[in-house]
Amino acid sequence: MTDTACEMETDSAVYKTLLESTKAIPWKLDWRSMKFAYIGPQIEALLGWSPASWASVEDWAARMHPEDSAWVVDFCVAQAQAGTDHEADYRALTRDGGYVWIRDVVHVVRNEDGEVDSLVGFMFDISERKKTEEQLMVLQKELEELSFKDGLTGVANRRMFDSIMEVEWTHARRNNQPLSLIMLDIDYFKQYNDRYGHIQGDDCLKRVAQALGSAATRSRDFFARFGGEEFVLVLPETDEKSAAKIAERCRSLIFKEQIPHEKSEVSQVLTVSLGVGTIVPSHQDEPLKFIEGVDRRLYQAKQNGRNCIVKSN
């Protein structure tokens, strides 16, 4: 053996030792035969399958989660045919029936004619990273939910109301359907707080929110705390008559709670004032003006002596 051949053999052994001592799993696939020319022994420690059992690309595809294999195989083949280096994340099947998240990083090797000769790459175990990503997604979802939820009462907040109102307004305008809005305010709530204290005032708001949450029953009906002691209901595909009935139900639900209010000037129990509006929005109408109109009716209900409903003109 020549010195050059010896040096090449030594280099090859060094490279192999280096590759097989890393956590990344090296592999090589012959493009023409679609058979593995090599796969690192680390594969057995990770997945339980011996290197010898990885004969062809069919073994790779079969040892993949069914939900992932459909797109991963097509994607990787298409990228390889185009001669493009690529990577893919998927769940690899372990010998005992479990799954491990893998990131496959693939390099396309071409021959002198520019044709695809082979694929070489590394498999990385990214299970811990995926677990962290999933935890972060759960946290992000919880934060998003919190950002749309009123911290005191647990019902939707003003921010969520703005989003829902925009969606339902567009839907009503597009389909030429009525959209109703009920705004209500607890009567003499400042006096309630002065008499019973802010802690009991907070409990009162919670009871009111809980009671009003059952006023509208359809899946798209929406209830939120508008701010302070004011609440709002968005009622898609609801005409004036039906909206008025729901408003009366709101007033009745609060009365049934029988929350004492000694400082109220209209009743010995807690009451609410309500403004109701209905519109079939056109392109000339604006949601803000509609909301302001309903709010004016609520103010009118207060001016009329409270514990009453003012509907659309």
Side-chain angles (χ1 to χ4, degrees):
M1 184 181 294
T2 64
D3 290 344
T4 303
C6 265
E7 287 173 6
M8 288 178 66
E9 189 173 322
T10 301
D11 288 346
S12 178
V14 169
Y15 291 144
K16 187 176 180 183
T17 301
L18 286 171
L19 285 173
E20 295 180 357
S21 64
T22 65
K23 288 186 177 180
I25 303 166
W27 57 267
K28 180 179 180 181
L29 184 77
D30 179 72
W31 182 250
R32 182 173 294 180
S33 66
M34 288 293 176
K35 294 187 181 300
F36 280 99
Y38 174 79
I39 190 161
Q42 304 99 312
I43 196 76
E44 189 165 5
L46 180 61
L47 300 180
W49 307 100
S50 68
S53 70
W54 295 78
S56 69
V57 73
E58 282 82 8
D59 297 309
W60 169 71
R63 293 167 182 174
M64 201 181 295
H65 195 288
E67 291 177 7
D68 299 336
S69 61
W71 74 266
V72 171
V73 173
D74 290 345
F75 169 75
C76 290
V77 169
Q79 294 297 101
Q81 286 175 335
T84 306
D85 292 350
H86 54 280
E87 59 183 61
D89 294 353
Y90 57 86
R91 287 160 289 181
L93 177 69
T94 63
R95 192 167 185 178
D96 60 7
Y99 287 97
V100 172
W101 272 103
I102 293 288
R103 172 163 295 169
D104 230 336
V105 180
V106 185
H107 173 64
V108 180
V109 179
R110 297 174 179 272
N111 58 26
E112 293 178 355
D113 298 325
E115 298 171 342
V116 177
D117 176 76
S118 59
L119 305 179
V120 295
F122 287 93
M123 294 180 185
F124 297 89
D125 176 6
I126 59 167
S127 297
E128 286 303 315
R129 183 185 304 180
K130 280 291 180 181
K131 197 178 295 181
T132 302
E133 287 175 3
E134 287 170 5
Q135 289 170 343
L136 287 172
M137 285 176 69
V138 169
L139 284 173
Q140 186 177 354
K141 188 176 180 182
E142 287 176 355
L143 285 172
E144 286 174 356
E145 288 175 353
L146 286 171
S147 70
F148 287 111
K149 187 182 289 186
D150 177 55
L152 175 65
T153 62
V155 301
N157 62 12
R158 173 67 183 274
R159 183 180 177 189
M160 187 64 170
F161 163 75
D162 291 339
S163 299
I164 291 294
M165 190 66 189
E166 183 180 350
V167 170
E168 294 297 355
W169 182 272
T170 303
H171 185 272
R173 187 178 61 194
R174 184 185 298 127
N175 296 286
N176 197 37
Q177 292 176 328
L179 175 66
S180 291
L181 187 68
I182 299 173
M183 301 186 78
L184 58 95
D185 191 90
I186 299 174
D187 294 327
Y188 298 108
F189 189 67
K190 181 182 182 301
Q191 289 82 347
Y192 185 94
N193 273 330
D194 291 343
R195 169 64 180 84
Y196 300 101
H198 288 281
I199 293 175
Q200 197 160 333
D202 287 349
D203 287 338
C204 173
L205 287 170
K206 292 175 186 176
R207 285 184 67 180
V208 168
Q210 187 174 2
L212 293 174
S214 61
T217 56
R218 297 176 309 168
S219 60
R220 277 173 53 204
D221 293 340
F222 173 79
F223 171 66
R225 185 182 180 192
F226 194 72
E229 63 271 24
E230 196 169 348
F231 296 86
V232 61
L233 284 95
V234 181
L235 306 169
E237 300 174 24
T238 304
D239 59 20
E240 292 181 25
K241 188 176 179 181
S242 298
K245 286 182 179 178
I246 294 172
E248 189 56 54
R249 191 186 305 156
C250 289
R251 202 163 71 96
S252 176
L253 285 167
I254 298 304
F255 178 77
K256 286 178 181 177
E257 287 293 310
Q258 291 289 296
I259 302 170
H261 190 350
E262 294 175 3
K263 293 296 182 179
S264 171
E265 295 180 21
V266 293
S267 174
Q268 288 298 300
V269 295
L270 197 80
T271 59
V272 292
S273 299
L274 305 95
V276 184
T278 301
I279 190 173
V280 179
S282 68
H283 286 281
Q284 286 73 42
D285 295 310
E286 296 178 11
L288 182 58
K289 287 185 178 179
F290 172 62
I291 295 167
E292 288 172 347
V294 178
D295 196 42
R296 281 194 296 271
R297 294 189 188 101
L298 170 58
Y299 180 75
Q300 190 179 339
K302 293 178 183 178
Q303 295 293 87
N304 291 352
R306 292 180 168 82
N307 190 25
C308 65
I309 301 167
V310 173
K311 299 172 281 189
S312 301
N313 297 328

